Amino acid sequence: MKRDVLLLLLIFAVAIAIVDPRGNMPLDDDWDFAVATWHFAKTGHFSFTPFTATSLYAQVLWGALWTRLFGASFFVLRCSILALAALALVVFRALLEKLPLRPWMRFAAAAALLFHPIFFWSSFTYMTHVPFVFCSVVAAYCYLRGSTGLGSLAVIASFFIRQTGVVTAIPAVLLARDRKSRMLAAAPLVVFAVVWPILQHGESGFHAQPWQAPFHGALYLFDHFSAAALFVLPLLIPAIITAPGALGDRRMVIGAVLLFLARALLFLGFANPPWDPILTSTHLFGNVFTNLGLGPQTLWDRAMLGYAYPIHLREGMRLPLTLLSAIAGGILLALVIEKARKAIAGGQPVALRFGVLHLICASGILAFSQLWFDRYTIDATWSLCFVLPLCWPALRSSSSAARVRQAIAFVALLAFALFDTLAVRDYLQWNRDRGQAWQSLVASGVPPLNINGGVELNAMARDPFERPRRNWVIRNDYVLSFNPMDGYDIVQRFGRVYSLRRRSDTKSPPPTSNWR
């Protein structure tokens, strides 16, 4: 194994130790995937809740294997994903060997994937994104080295985790050099058409009326590329500063940036009240990246009542960060359009053509889902981690421009590494605190259904397999929160989290709340 691969894994191991993934608690939506995994490990049968939107079968098998070996706990499932994240980095670094990049560029590209905020955060959960990216990276590696059959098997595995994985086969079909390769590359499309009925369950499908599709597609275009650009800044900034000519037509770049800025200003409420369902941008409130934090802050006072998270971005700082992501998103879209134009014309490295086609296909299919979260960007744009370095001009490593580009990339990567590690450490710590607060109330005799502890714990307190799905009414007799609340007495404090009891004369907030 190459020394830079070992260094990359060592850096990941240090980050894992700092974050500290211990604790038997659900994170975001992984409670849903965990109960399906434990059910399969126990019974040998697939069973999904009404809330499951992903296809999930392959991940259930992976998690069930770890469950049978090490026991049923969220910590075991997190370890299974951390192992896949490490394997994804190794395969991605092997993929980079096939590309015309200098060694330091390969290391920077692999580190950019590791410290992509969504990839890093989801590595510490049992969410589907890291398993999906692992299968997609394996598929790309196989396709680019000419092993089309193995690449197609990896694509098939990917859409048994997230249905959108099928799009990875499209660039392989379009770039196939002969009829046999084209048929092998097209095999996942045929398999997908056959198995599509069993991939649909729970919440999969459209989330809005058909007439709203163009509006949601436009929303997705802006928010998706703004978030994607923000998350790969260590690779995007060097390309902008040291190779502006690579962006193509300057008028197109300026037009895209102005369009994205206008969209961002709509979000800020200058031209439209915030949170309009069609016009509002959410790339600072995208479910995972929230107010300069990593991890959905789902306690009731933060998620439903608008209280401030203990560590949050001040209003005055949201404007420059929003505008930065909008500018970067416009530049990124212009770059993708320029590279797509050149890819169609030919004469570009096959890896660059593959990556650009993947970006277009994956972003396009997700736009039609009519539902956007920032965590979806990693599914569609992980390939930016090798596309952007391929856009840097081939300069001698001793040239001043190359040294500037190298310095910018590594300073930005260091900043991202520190932010990711500390933010995810904070996320896991307050979730451990919340788990202690919940367990303390239950141990004192409080019924779990009388506690509003956030969506993850409230979901686990019910029968998640109950059908037909109905709206859950959550009692607010006891509330777990980041802050003391009017109308509630403090029972106990666990780190960041307060355990609160509702007073009998409290009228607001209401005694119950609905979830979904």
Side-chain angles (χ1 to χ4, degrees):
M1 188 176 289
K2 293 183 178 294
R3 284 182 297 178
D4 63 334
V5 178
L6 293 175
L7 177 60
L8 195 70
L9 294 177
L10 177 61
I11 292 171
F12 191 26
V14 171
I16 291 171
I18 294 173
V19 169
D20 186 6
R22 292 175 299 170
N24 185 24
M25 66 282 185
L27 301 170
D28 198 26
D29 287 343
D30 69 1
W31 64 269
D32 189 3
F33 313 142
V35 296
T37 298
W38 294 333
H39 184 273
F40 183 87
K42 182 178 180 180
T43 67
H45 298 289
F46 289 107
S47 184
F48 302 106
T49 79
F51 304 98
T52 308
T54 57
S55 46
L56 201 63
Y57 292 92
Q59 183 165 328
V60 163
L61 293 174
W62 174 253
L65 174 62
W66 282 69
T67 299
R68 294 295 295 270
L69 291 174
F70 304 109
S73 77
F74 284 102
F75 175 62
V76 167
L77 295 180
R78 278 198 291 279
C79 288
S80 76
I81 301 302
L82 285 167
L84 278 183
L87 288 173
L89 292 172
V90 172
V91 177
F92 185 71
R93 179 57 183 79
L95 181 153
L96 296 172
E97 284 289 339
K98 307 296 179 184
L99 310 182
L101 298 173
R102 297 190 180 279
W104 75 265
M105 292 181 179
R106 295 191 183 105
F107 184 82
L113 178 61
L114 167 57
F115 290 114
H116 185 294
I118 304 301
F119 183 88
F120 188 83
W121 166 81
S122 57
S123 297
F124 291 87
T125 74
Y126 190 58
M127 298 291 282
T128 57
H129 304 288
V130 166
F132 178 83
V133 170
F134 168 74
C135 290
S136 300
V137 168
V138 171
Y141 170 75
C142 293
Y143 284 141
L144 292 177
R145 70 188 297 268
S147 301
T148 307
L150 292 176
S152 293
L153 289 176
V155 171
I156 291 171
S158 75
F159 65 65
F160 275 99
I161 299 172
R162 298 182 66 82
Q163 297 93 324
T164 51
V166 67
V167 301
T168 309
I170 297 175
V173 172
L174 296 176
L175 298 176
R177 291 172 291 184
D178 54 61
R179 183 179 178 184
K180 180 181 178 182
S181 296
R182 188 170 293 107
M183 291 178 65
L184 285 173
L189 304 177
V190 177
V191 174
F192 183 79
V194 172
V195 302
W196 171 243
I198 73 168
L199 299 181
Q200 297 188 84
H201 44 69
E203 293 191 338
S204 62
F206 290 103
H207 296 268
Q209 297 299 319
W211 67 266
Q212 294 177 310
F215 300 101
H216 285 270
L219 181 150
Y220 182 88
L221 175 72
F222 290 108
D223 291 348
H224 173 64
F225 278 96
S226 294
L230 189 65
F231 295 149
V232 294
L233 277 181
L235 301 180
L236 182 61
I237 292 176
I240 297 171
I241 292 179
T242 64
L247 298 177
D249 187 347
R250 183 173 298 179
R251 289 173 300 179
M252 181 176 67
V253 176
I254 294 173
V257 168
L258 290 177
L259 204 59
F260 273 61
L261 283 174
R263 176 71 174 86
L265 293 178
L266 284 173
F267 152 68
L268 291 169
F270 296 156
N272 193 71
W275 303 115
D276 182 279
I278 290 179
L279 293 179
T280 298
S281 171
T282 53
H283 53 260
L284 286 184
F285 304 90
N287 182 249
V288 173
F289 181 67
T290 308
N291 246 345
L292 207 61
L294 281 181
Q297 298 151 15
T298 54
L299 292 186
W300 195 46
D301 63 329
R302 172 68 187 91
M304 301 298 293
L305 303 181
Y307 280 58
Y309 179 61
I311 298 176
H312 65 279
L313 193 63
R314 301 289 181 183
E315 290 287 347
M317 290 301 298
R318 295 184 198 178
L319 173 60
L321 186 57
T322 299
L323 298 184
L324 170 64
S325 62
I327 293 169
I331 292 173
L332 177 61
L333 180 60
L335 178 64
V336 170
I337 293 172
E338 173 68 14
K339 295 303 175 184
R341 184 183 64 79
K342 291 183 177 180
I344 293 172
Q348 297 294 306
V350 65
L352 181 58
R353 295 165 66 193
F354 182 94
V356 170
L357 287 170
H358 170 265
L359 285 167
I360 293 171
C361 295
S363 298
I365 195 170
L366 284 174
F368 284 98
S369 72
Q370 303 188 52
L371 181 67
W372 183 84
F373 290 114
D374 59 4
R375 65 177 188 257
Y376 296 168
T377 61
I378 188 65
D379 304 340
T381 64
W382 64 265
S383 51
L384 281 172
C385 292
F386 72 83
V387 167
L388 287 175
L390 284 170
C391 296
W392 299 347
L395 300 172
R396 297 192 310 273
S397 59
S398 60
S399 70
S400 59
R403 286 196 298 270
V404 169
R405 189 165 59 249
Q406 185 174 357
I408 291 170
F410 282 105
V411 169
L413 282 169
L414 178 60
F416 269 57
L418 291 173
F419 167 74
D420 286 358
T421 303
L422 297 178
V424 176
R425 175 183 172 84
D426 176 76
Y427 175 63
L428 266 72
Q429 183 56 55
W430 75 252
N431 273 280
R432 280 189 290 267
D433 296 339
R434 174 173 62 164
Q436 280 188 285
W438 176 279
Q439 292 165 12
S440 176
L441 286 176
V442 172
S444 69
V446 177
L449 295 182
N450 288 19
I451 307 171
N452 187 334
V455 60
E456 302 93 335
L457 295 180
N458 285 111
M460 295 292 293
R462 290 168 167 76
D463 175 10
F465 294 106
E466 181 185 32
R467 293 178 187 272
R469 194 192 81 170
R470 57 177 179 167
N471 288 331
W472 290 348
V473 177
I474 300 173
R475 294 190 60 83
N476 298 320
D477 300 346
Y478 291 81
V479 168
L480 305 183
S481 74
F482 291 119
N483 304 275
M485 291 170 47
D486 292 338
Y488 283 80
D489 295 319
I490 297 175
V491 177
Q492 200 170 354
R493 184 177 182 179
F494 297 84
R496 291 279 180 81
V497 177
Y498 288 90
S499 173
L500 306 176
R501 179 176 54 244
R502 182 183 179 86
R503 298 188 195 125
S504 58
D505 60 345
T506 297
K507 300 188 183 307
S508 180
T512 62
S513 55
N514 294 325
W515 180 61
R516 301 202 184 190

